[in-house]
Amino acid sequence: MSEELVGNVLVAQSGGPTAVINSSLAGVLTEALNHACIEEIYGSLNGVLGILNENFIDLAEESQQTVRALRVTPGAALGTCRYKLKKEQDFERIIDVLMAHNIRYFFYIGGNDSQDTASKISQHAANRGYEMRVIGIPKTIDNDLPITDHCPGYGSAIKHIASVVREMAEDHEAMGQHDLVSIVEVMGRNTGWIAAGSALAKHRNSPENAPHLIYLPEVPFSTEKFLEDVQSVLQKNKHCMVVVSEGIVDGEGNYIAADANTDSFGHSQLGGAGEFLRNLVSENINVNARACKFGISQRAAATHASQTDNNEAFLCGQQAVKVAVSGQTDKMVTLIRQDSESYLCGTGLASLNEVANGVKAFPKQWINESGNGVTHPFVKYALPLIQGEVQVPYEQGLPQFAKLAKNVVGKQLSGYALV
Amino acid sequence: MSEELVGNVLVAQSGGPTAVINSSLAGVLTEALNHACIEEIYGSLNGVLGILNENFIDLAEESQQTVRALRVTPGAALGTCRYKLKKEQDFERIIDVLMAHNIRYFFYIGGNDSQDTASKISQHAANRGYEMRVIGIPKTIDNDLPITDHCPGYGSAIKHIASVVREMAEDHEAMGQHDLVSIVEVMGRNTGWIAAGSALAKHRNSPENAPHLIYLPEVPFSTEKFLEDVQSVLQKNKHCMVVVSEGIVDGEGNYIAADANTDSFGHSQLGGAGEFLRNLVSENINVNARACKFGISQRAAATHASQTDNNEAFLCGQQAVKVAVSGQTDKMVTLIRQDSESYLCGTGLASLNEVANGVKAFPKQWINESGNGVTHPFVKYALPLIQGEVQVPYEQGLPQFAKLAKNVVGKQLSGYALV
């Protein structure tokens, strides 16, 4: 145990929200109260932007009720940002602000970019001789952070998608008098983790159940192969459900369906990968084809969140505080799957630097030989992550979410001009 | 009380499934067991197609567990069809099959077209001098059946959409550093009932909450007005959430965004109304715009279903049996809102004929003056319909749905050639 460091906590959130990022925040708040060396518990509004602008709120003043409700609230209660710190001056300002508020513990909940930022803040504090402990808390529905077995946010995203796919499959079966091809476009710009997770919807992993075909960015997309795949499914089934990552690419690595703003193929790709595939089916196979695209709702689906994921997100928040108080810094909390018969998950630590510079690709051996589905070891990996259902409180028939009181912390410094 | 009619029951489902159509089926099964005059309880597979092809299953053989699970299973357990009976020969065949199986009670769960079919079957039976009672059970997420106060299926669809909009709003607020316009395309080809229901997501009906703008097919869509509306919202809010019916039309009544297969504007409408609006924003306002489209998942969302809606669907099934046994025929069960302080809903009857030929448009007085939202009386109408949360059983982290054993009833007649 290193020497006790007395001072204040600052916690911030960054990047795209998830269904459980606020559960990590609740974990930090809950644990911070247990340590006498921690005096004030502040939150920065909108990630590092809140530090630059000295926009802090006093989280210790939030009610117990609010902290409990945070655990099941999607979005990011503190607000997030995608602001990338570049200038040396930005970092100097950040250390100035942290020092002015006697922040000795900084917790940053986010993905790769956020861990990179946390690492740089830690270095700059060290260069200034300011003693501070910086711990990253993993968060991303993309599940692409290295070292950690999986990322908080992922289990809930795939539980949501697999649930919806299973509901849709009931509908398709009912309509099954005629051939129907249904395309579901899901998130995943660079890796296929999210699309792969839809495979859990297959009841007892039986091949006749939806989804019948899954296309990941890791496998170069071939139009001919896709049409063959669909026709092959329709020979056995009355309907064919396809799940596709928004980020599928062709043999040259170009997005199959670019965004309208950056469209390299002309306007016909406007709807994204899902609409592109639907169009392929409509134009080449004489069947009814539909597409849907869940968009942002995939990462906000608190009412479909996994209790396991929620608990692990909370645990990561708690653990961040524990290891910081015990003297660790410059680390991100990781999840470590125990080598046991039933699923058990503990925590570990990875250096921020290592996390910041890595991306965990979807393993090649978890993609089937035809490149249109996943193998059983992936199902074994993913299934424990979706166990348990989060109970969201309802009021007047709709989910109720936490609203922070946001008591403002007084500014100590003069304003800062953002570029 | 008319004379007791002894014989068998046939129940069938038709049209697009809903989250609660199987609850109506469970209502029929549960109530049918209470009446000694009812001997066998058969289900027809895929609506009238199952009658033409004599594809019946014995529903009395299904387990109690299955019937209970049916209440929370989306899709349509008997399968549905969109087959339109036209030829006189089809109707003759149907009466032959019903007579061969001594069907004295026929219950058809469906929308306008199904009630029309039920009415015609009833007439043909009467013409043949075959005593039979035909009762329709209302079903449609579109809520466009006349006479009934609302339709089973609608409450669950809008509870789902309002829940997802509220989850997405949390995400958008978190990202609120920059202007963001988010377009949500929902079902509703001809009427705006579903899009209107998203208004319930507004917390305490406060104007700053999402959704900020709602566009219905009842209001001719104007591009200029839309862009003004969005800009006006962005002056007050950091984000703007728009909900749009898939079926919005221009001043001439043409769909703004036709299906790719019937596209009258060229390929740029490929993604549907939502992508069309997103494109308008991207091209005319300098903000980040996104679109999503929930597709079929909207009518299959059993895990977001309304307990009130589910109970009413069950009640309609039960009531259909009760009134048929009591001597009624040629009617559809309707829902009647009681004139009381708190919400109370009873049932009534409407003639099949009347229902078959009507469509309930969204009332003009429930659309706001700007044509981009709804008025408070609509909220008062819709809010009771989404109360209560259905508890779907989960297994291995995902919703489990009923599967009928489908014990086949022996055929009495030779085959029939469908045209």
Side-chain angles (χ1 to χ4, degrees), chain A residues 138-140 143-155 193 308-309 312-313 316 332-337 343-346 360 381-382 384-385:
Chain A
K139 172 266 2 168
T140 170
N143 203 38
D144 60 355
L145 292 183
I147 309 169
T148 186
D149 178 77
H150 56 279
C151 302
Y154 177 60
W193 288 102
T308 299
D309 185 32
E312 290 174 354
C316 287
M332 182 188 81
V333 176
T334 60
L335 291 168
I336 300 176
R337 193 183 296 242
Y343 177 75
L344 268 178
C345 190
K360 187 165 68 182
Y381 164 85
L385 314 183

Side-chain angles (χ1 to χ4, degrees), chain B residues 47-240:
Chain B
V48 288
L49 272 178
I51 313 183
L52 290 171
N53 294 322
E54 221 187 332
N55 282 335
F56 290 172
I57 59 169
D58 189 338
L59 287 170
E61 287 186 40
E62 298 292 337
S63 74
Q64 306 266 336
Q65 261 173 331
T66 302
V67 176
R68 196 190 303 136
L70 267 183
R71 288 200 60 166
V72 296
T73 296
L78 296 172
T80 83
C81 72
R82 294 207 184 268
Y83 187 85
K84 192 114 183 154
L85 296 170
K86 283 171 203 156
K87 293 181 307 170
E88 203 51 34
Q89 199 189 336
D90 279 349
F91 285 103
E92 292 307 313
R93 166 69 178 186
I94 281 183
I95 307 304
D96 289 346
V97 173
L98 296 175
M99 289 173 73
H101 291 273
N102 194 33
I103 304 298
R104 298 291 179 172
Y105 298 95
F106 176 52
F107 303 108
Y108 209 22
I109 315 173
N112 312 53
D113 285 347
S114 318
Q115 307 308 334
D116 186 47
T117 301
S119 169
K120 285 175 179 150
I121 290 174
S122 173
Q123 276 166 23
H124 281 78
N127 295 347
R128 295 268 292 268
Y130 180 65
E131 191 180 359
M132 201 177 89
R133 296 181 189 152
V134 176
I135 302 288
I137 299 167
K139 172 260 12 162
T140 170
I141 65 164
D142 291 331
N143 204 37
D144 59 356
L145 292 182
I147 307 167
T148 186
D149 178 77
H150 55 279
C151 301
Y154 176 61
S156 292
I158 63 174
K159 183 185 178 91
H160 167 63
I161 289 163
S163 299
V164 174
V165 162
R166 194 172 269 193
E167 288 178 334
M168 289 175 71
E170 294 291 323
D171 188 287
H172 292 350
E173 271 174 45
M175 302 290 286
Q177 278 301 298
H178 303 288
D179 288 346
L180 168 67
V181 178
S182 177
I183 319 275
V184 177
E185 179 187 319
V186 301
M187 282 182 159
R189 209 73 187 140
N190 304 311
T191 64
W193 287 102
I194 296 174
S198 69
L200 301 180
K202 275 182 186 291
H203 195 62
R204 297 191 178 90
N205 209 21
S206 119
E208 66 266 28
N209 289 146
H212 305 97
L213 300 167
I214 302 174
Y215 297 97
L216 316 175
E218 283 81 357
V219 181
F221 184 80
S222 148
T223 297
E224 296 68 38
K225 174 70 165 47
F226 166 69
L227 292 170
E228 275 169 35
D229 288 352
V230 169
Q231 278 164 314
S232 158
V233 171
L234 288 178
Q235 272 160 22
K236 291 173 241 155
N237 284 273
K238 283 183 175 159
H239 65 102
C240 171

Side-chain angles (χ1 to χ4, degrees), chain A residues 21-340:
Chain A
I21 185 173
N22 288 326
S23 188
S24 290
L25 175 59
V28 169
L29 300 188
T30 305
E31 184 63 29
L33 291 172
N34 295 339
H35 300 275
C37 60
I38 293 175
E39 294 175 330
E40 305 291 345
I41 310 171
Y42 295 158
S44 168
L45 296 180
N46 296 105
V48 287
L49 273 178
I51 312 184
L52 290 171
N53 294 323
E54 220 186 332
N55 282 334
F56 291 172
I57 59 169
D58 189 339
L59 288 170
E61 287 186 40
E62 299 291 337
S63 74
Q64 306 266 336
Q65 263 173 330
T66 301
V67 176
R68 196 191 301 134
L70 266 184
R71 287 200 60 167
V72 296
T73 296
L78 296 173
T80 82
C81 71
R82 292 205 184 272
Y83 187 84
K84 192 113 181 152
L85 296 170
K86 283 173 204 151
K87 292 180 306 170
E88 201 52 34
Q89 199 190 334
D90 280 350
F91 286 103
E92 292 306 314
R93 166 70 178 184
I94 282 185
I95 306 304
D96 288 346
V97 173
L98 296 175
M99 287 172 73
H101 290 275
N102 194 32
I103 304 299
R104 298 291 177 171
Y105 298 95
F106 175 53
F107 303 107
Y108 208 24
I109 315 174
N112 312 55
D113 284 347
S114 318
Q115 306 309 334
D116 186 46
T117 301
S119 168
K120 285 176 181 150
I121 290 175
S122 173
Q123 276 165 25
H124 280 79
N127 294 347
R128 295 267 291 267
Y130 180 65
E131 192 180 359
M132 201 176 90
R133 298 182 188 152
V134 177
I135 301 288
I137 299 167
K139 172 266 2 168
T140 170
I141 66 164
D142 292 331
N143 203 38
D144 60 355
L145 292 183
I147 309 169
T148 186
D149 178 77
H150 56 279
C151 302
Y154 177 60
S156 292
I158 63 174
K159 183 185 179 93
H160 168 63
I161 288 163
S163 299
V164 175
V165 163
R166 194 173 269 192
E167 288 178 335
M168 290 175 72
E170 293 292 323
D171 189 285
H172 292 350
E173 270 174 46
M175 301 291 286
Q177 278 301 298
H178 303 287
D179 289 346
L180 169 66
V181 178
S182 177
I183 318 276
V184 178
E185 179 187 317
V186 300
M187 284 182 158
R189 209 73 186 140
N190 302 311
T191 64
W193 288 102
I194 296 174
S198 70
L200 301 180
K202 276 182 185 291
H203 194 63
R204 297 191 178 89
N205 208 21
S206 124
E208 66 264 28
N209 289 145
H212 305 96
L213 300 167
I214 301 174
Y215 297 98
L216 316 176
E218 283 82 356
V219 182
F221 184 80
S222 150
T223 297
E224 296 70 34
K225 173 69 166 48
F226 166 69
L227 291 170
E228 276 170 34
D229 287 352
V230 169
Q231 278 166 313
S232 159
V233 171
L234 288 177
Q235 272 161 21
K236 292 172 239 155
N237 283 274
K238 282 181 176 161
H239 64 102
C240 171
M241 199 189 298
V242 177
V243 175
V244 60
S245 288
E246 59 184 345
I248 52 167
V249 292
D250 62 20
E252 278 79 53
N254 300 311
Y255 286 124
I256 287 293
D259 186 85
N261 300 318
T262 57
D263 194 341
S264 57
F265 300 85
H267 268 308
S268 64
Q269 278 72 32
L270 185 59
E275 283 292 334
F276 182 79
L277 264 53
R278 184 185 81 104
N279 206 34
L280 281 180
V281 172
S282 293
E283 286 180 358
N284 295 283
I285 311 177
N286 182 29
V287 293
N288 183 3
R290 300 174 183 205
C292 62
K293 177 180 181 173
F294 301 138
I296 294 298
S297 70
Q298 294 165 76
R299 66 185 194 198
T303 49
H304 277 166
S306 153
Q307 188 64 61
T308 299
D309 185 32
N310 190 294
N311 289 345
E312 290 174 354
F314 188 84
L315 176 69
C316 287
Q318 283 188 299
Q319 195 62 16
V321 176
K322 283 184 191 167
V323 300
V325 168
S326 81
Q328 295 281 356
T329 185
D330 245 335
K331 302 280 196 309
M332 182 188 81
V333 176
T334 60
L335 291 168
I336 300 176
R337 193 183 296 242
Q338 310 296 315
D339 201 14
S340 65

Side-chain angles (χ1 to χ4, degrees), chain B residues 297-349:
Chain B
S297 71
Q298 294 164 76
R299 65 185 196 200
T303 48
H304 277 165
S306 152
Q307 188 64 60
T308 299
D309 185 33
N310 190 295
N311 290 346
E312 290 174 354
F314 188 84
L315 177 69
C316 287
Q318 283 188 302
Q319 194 62 16
V321 176
K322 283 185 189 165
V323 300
V325 168
S326 81
Q328 295 281 356
T329 186
D330 247 336
K331 302 282 197 306
M332 183 188 80
V333 177
T334 59
L335 291 169
I336 299 177
R337 190 183 298 241
Q338 310 297 315
D339 202 13
S340 65
E341 192 63 26
S342 61
Y343 176 75
L344 268 177
C345 189
T347 61
L349 291 172

